[in-house]
Every structure is written in structure tokens, then in C-alpha cells.
């Protein structure tokens, strides 16, 4: 069983027990959030596609932590001019653990 959810304009395929890193969310670490933008839902017997969302479907997830990703080094230069510029970037993220998928208030197994 899995679900495809939309979080901040990105799509993630999740199943119960999965840990995913998503862009930074406004939620306290240790709290439980409900993701209601479910685009597709598969419960083993078939696939339900939303138009655009699956009605009554939701994904429960626990916020594990907020952190920053690995540093990405950005290097730019202009050849034969002696111009070099070095920069770095670290993206903030929230780590979620998916606890369950529900459809019309009932947990799917």
C-alpha cells in the first residue's frame, strides 16, 4: 500500500513506516501532522487516482526533526579573466515518518 502526496508543490510516494525529507514545514518536532493533499492511493487491490485529489484520503506523519542538508558548493568563473567566485548553500528540511494512510476516516492495512 502506498500513497502519492503533494507537499509544498513536490510529490512524494510514501508508505507506512517510510522516512522522507521534505522542504521545511511549520510544525514542532515530535508533533503529528495530517497531509490531506493525496493525489493517488493504492491499497493493494487497485489504484485510485484523484481529480485532482482523492476524496477522503489522508496521510498521518510524525515530525522527527528539522535540519539542514549537506552543503552544495557553487563555483563560477570567467575564463582568461582571473574572475572566480565560490559560494555554498544548505537547504533546510523537515524529516517525517509516515505512520499511516486513512481513507474516509478508516486506516488502510
Amino acid at each position: 500500500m502506498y500513497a502519492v502526496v503533494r507537499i509544498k508543490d513536490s510529490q512524494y510516494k510514501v508508505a507506512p513506516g517510510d522516512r522522507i525529507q521534505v522542504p521545511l514545514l511549520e510544525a514542532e518536532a515530535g508533533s503529528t501532522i495530517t497531509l490531506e493533499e493525496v493525489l493517488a492511493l493504492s491499497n493493494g487491490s487497485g489504484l485510485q487516482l484523484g481529480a485532482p485529489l482523492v476524496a477522503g484520503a489522508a496521510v498521518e506523519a510524525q515530525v522527527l526533526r528539522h535540519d539542514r542538508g549537506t552543503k552544495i558548493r557553487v563555483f563560477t568563473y570567467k575564463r582568461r579573466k582571473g574572475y572566480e567566485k565560490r559560494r555554498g548553500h544548505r537547504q533546510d528540511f523537515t524529516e517525517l515518518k509516515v505512520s499511516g494512510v486513512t481513507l474516509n476516516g478508516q486506516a488502510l492495512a
Side-chain angles (χ1 to χ4, degrees):
M1 170 189 51
Y2 66 89
V4 177
V5 295
R6 180 170 54 207
I7 304 170
K8 286 200 172 182
D9 295 330
S10 296
Q11 297 177 7
Y12 299 92
K13 179 181 174 183
V14 297
D18 285 353
R19 289 180 176 222
I20 58 171
Q21 291 181 355
V22 299
L24 190 65
L25 299 175
E26 297 295 326
E28 293 292 324
S31 65
T32 301
I33 61 173
T34 303
L35 307 171
E36 295 179 351
E37 293 191 39
V38 179
L39 304 173
L41 182 65
S42 172
N43 57 3
S45 62
L47 178 67
Q48 294 180 3
L49 296 176
L53 302 175
V54 177
V59 174
E60 298 288 326
Q62 181 182 8
V63 178
L64 297 179
R65 65 186 174 117
H66 302 289
D67 205 355
R68 300 183 80 191
T70 57
K71 182 173 246 185
I72 298 172
R73 303 219 179 252
V74 180
F75 177 74
T76 181
Y77 75 101
K78 294 184 180 178
R79 63 184 192 159
R80 297 188 299 267
K81 306 296 181 195
Y83 174 82
E84 292 181 352
K85 193 173 191 180
R86 292 178 178 88
R87 292 181 291 148
H89 175 75
R90 293 181 69 184
Q91 186 71 37
D92 295 328
F93 70 87
T94 299
E95 187 171 1
L96 301 176
K97 181 176 181 182
V98 178
S99 41
V101 179
T102 60
L103 181 62
N104 296 324
Q106 297 187 3
L108 298 177

